[in-house]
Amino acid sequence: MIKILVVDDEADIQPLFEQRFRKEIKSEDVSFEFAFSGEEALVCLDKYLHEAVLILSDINMPGMSGLELLSRIKAKHHDPPPMVMMISAYGDSENQKAAMDLGADGFISKPVDFAVLKEKIKALF
Amino acid sequence: MKKCFVLFLMIAAAGQMSVAIAGKGANHSVLHDTARIAYLNKLAEMLLKNNYYDSSMVYSSQAIEISDSLLRLSTVKNNSIYQTRCKMLKAKAMANFSNGLIYNKPNDALDTLKSALKLAKETGNKSLEAVIYADIGNAYNSLSKDKAALVNHLRSVSLFRETGSKKELAWQLNSVGITQRVLGNYGDALEYMMESLKISRSIGDSNTTIEALLAIGFTYAFVEMWDDALKFQAQALDIYREMNDSLGIARIYNDMGVTNMRAGKLEVALDQHKKALAIRLKSKEHYYTFASFLYIGDLLEKLNRIPEAIQYYESAFNYTKFSSFRVSQIDAGISLGRAYQKSQDYDKALNMLTLAYEVALEMDDRSFQAQAALFKAKVYLAKENPRLALFWLHNAEKAAAESSLVFLAEIYQSIGETYSKMGDFRNAYLNQLKYSRVKDSMDVAENLEKIARLSNRLEFENKQALQNQNHEKELILKQAEIRREKVTRNFSLFGMFVAMVLMIIAFIRFVEKQKLNKKLSETLSDLKSTQSQLIQREKMASLGELAAGISHEIQNPLNFVNNFSEVSRELITEVFEELSKGNQQDAMNILEDVKENLDKINHHGKRADSIIKGMLQHSRSSSGTKEPTDINALADEFLRLAYHGLRARDKSFNALMKTDFDQKLGKVNVIPQDMGRVILNLITNAFYAANEKRITGKENYQPTVQVSTRKTKDKVMVLVQDNGNGIPQHVLGKIFQPFFTTKPAGEGTGLGLSMSYDIVTKGHGGELTVETSEGLGTTFTIVIPA
């Protein structure tokens, strides 16, 4: 089972993901955790380090931004580093490049196409 | 020559006196020593008048030393007359010493003058006190602290009025006038200068009369009333002619030349500067001869007579060898370089400009470095060498960072054009953008200047009208006197004549008043239209800041609307599947989810709707009517918009947003567009301040902006708090003034806080206050009636 940590400051992201992935959750292929800020995500991550974790993080968040979260994760956890996929506004190539430079494992544009997201997750594991 | 000889004799006598005094009795020695100090003071004063500052300081410090030793003597301590005399002499010596320092170390001069003033006050001698106040005023003038200078010159004036010393009073009145002019108060300036002129004329003091006439002339020139300016300068010229003072005559010719040049009468200006030059060439005064050559070169260049201009610039440049002013060398070098370029003599142009650039580097004068570099770039452009041109343009850009906007605009435009010639369109575009930004700031600065000019002119004309009226009153009184005399002689005939004169005067006054009224109303409408343009500009600037935030903020709810509707559609299919299988309970569970999703779709739809409405409200003119408004929602919305707006403009920007809303607030009666503008402005400033501190790289710093609301019995408060660097105390008093901004050129209009202040206080009968702590942050508080 893959543990996915979703990081976004919009609270409604939780019911959306839970409904979009309801079949996968039911069949226990994936399970989700949610954090609503970069700071919360770092705390959360420490708990699940022993599991195969994928982090899906928004970039534009108040406080610690998604890019900062990404660089902190990659700096702190080396062995093996958790997968991090960034989510941000459509056409934001500048952030996309910055995320890739910081070692992101993928990039998804908003609005999220859940079919594509599922494909990308499959390809990663 | 004569002056030098007198000085020489005095210096020799000073030496003799010190020998003569040794070995006399106590009282005798005090008398002689005070006489010697008085003599040294006189000598120092004369040296000052002849610009021998260092020697003057040597003699005044001797005078201070002797007076100090006298003040320590018991003979002096026990004798109040001696003591007062010694203190007076010491104060005078200290004042002389400071006047020697005033140009090189004005701050030190000021300190010494303040001690001298204390001493003078102890002696109770008003004249001395007045003289020292005047010197303090001059020291503040040198430090460009003109308001402080004004206060001290005015004190000096009132003391001189008390003591009745007319000559000094006239001189000081002129100093007050000049300081008022520097402060932009042209009307007041004129009043003081006119009084100075009246007094100096009445006592026959030619020097002060000339200074007052020239000061009045310059004041008229400042408000672009060229004919009046020239009229007063011509009067000064007549006095110098009577005095047969040729250098004085040359001085006025130069002044009149400058006035005519500014008035656009280039040929007349040229003729006047040439007359001045002819006189100066006979003298041995190098600096002003250099300046006359330069003036003429400049005029010829403006008249496009380049070969002649080059001749004069070359002569000016030759004179810089004599001059100890290195700035002159840069000035002449740049002018000459520019003229050589115009005559396509590129090598000579480059030589000159290189020399000017190097001297400017040595002197660390960034403005001149930028000028020389820009002209070098222009030569390289003319030589079709864009790479070297670009190199010099970038040098000019670096140096011009603190220079004038006009200059910076020219540099960016040239850089843009050069890149475009080189086919690098991206950089060409980027520099064109920089150019437009600087140009925008220039427009704002120009508008500001226009307003200042118009209001100064308005004030000036008012004062002038008032003076004319006074003058007319005097005229009428004189006429009345004449009438009384003549009536006794021939009552009927002259009586009628005088009545006619009075009628004509009254008629002229009526016509003038009409004209003045017309002018006043025109000026007022000009002011109003400029003001409304500026307000519109500020509104559009803040809308621009919002645009990126708005698109981000609308995108999020729209994504939710799309996603939740898609997923609900899938869920409905599942409901049908479950029902067909007979699993009614499962179908019911899924339908619960669908119901929740529909609520969410509705919620996010409304969210997008309110953002668009908010944007429209912000850009629309204010309705001016108060309506019940949810201040918490308004503040929350603008906090997010401002945040995302700044993020979109600067990817590196980040800050923590915190809110602490008082849920008891309810709806408050405000003009929503206006209050929104105030809140947005305060939040944008708070983010800016926090981000500025972040950029300085302070460790463990988390930029944070908090918006809170509070409700008391009869008041509602909105607090916008940042943890930036705080506002320095010296600018705190100015932040609500229009056009005051600490942001770099092109980034702020300087109208945000002043408009906010007006909206809160005038529009809502509330208060806008600020609390700041340097290094820790700032809190702005809006308080309005509930």
Side-chain angles (χ1 to χ4, degrees), chain B residues 279-323:
Chain B
I279 299 171
R280 298 219 186 264
L281 279 171
K282 288 180 198 152
S283 76
K284 289 215 166 67
E285 214 295 317
H286 299 306
Y287 178 74
Y288 289 106
T289 316
F290 153 79
S292 299
F293 272 120
L294 202 66
Y295 278 135
I296 297 172
D298 195 26
L299 280 163
L300 288 166
E301 193 187 335
K302 282 195 170 75
L303 288 162
N304 215 16
R305 286 155 62 178
I306 307 298
E308 285 172 82
I310 289 178
Q311 276 179 10
Y312 280 91
Y313 281 147
E314 278 174 346
S315 304
F317 189 76
N318 286 336
Y319 262 84
T320 60
K321 279 184 259 172
F322 299 112
S323 169

Side-chain angles (χ1 to χ4, degrees), chain A residues 8-79:
Chain A
D8 199 312
D9 60 319
E10 293 274 2
D12 277 343
I13 208 78
Q14 182 167 356
L16 183 65
F17 266 76
E18 284 171 350
Q19 288 185 21
R20 282 292 196 175
F21 282 88
R22 63 196 179 283
K23 285 178 186 159
E24 290 80 359
I25 294 171
K26 216 171 178 180
S27 59
E28 296 192 343
D29 289 336
V30 291
S31 73
F32 282 96
E33 288 295 329
F34 294 89
F36 300 106
S37 70
E39 291 84 352
E40 207 182 312
L42 283 177
V43 176
C44 218
L45 191 61
D46 284 337
K47 286 192 224 162
Y48 306 110
L49 263 187
H50 56 284
E51 299 176 49
V53 180
L54 167 67
I55 296 146
L56 282 176
S57 174
D58 186 24
I59 288 184
N60 278 325
M61 290 186 292
M64 188 188 295
S65 75
L67 291 177
E68 198 180 337
L69 174 68
L70 169 65
S71 67
R72 289 209 191 183
I73 292 171
K74 295 287 176 183
K76 191 175 171 190
H77 307 289
H78 306 284
D79 197 23

Side-chain angles (χ1 to χ4, degrees), chain B residues 405 436-446 537 744-748:
Chain B
L405 288 177
S436 332
R437 227 176 288 150
V438 177
K439 191 84 178 39
D440 274 354
S441 305
M442 266 166 65
D443 288 345
V444 172
E446 249 173 49
R537 183 185 286 267
E747 281 192 29

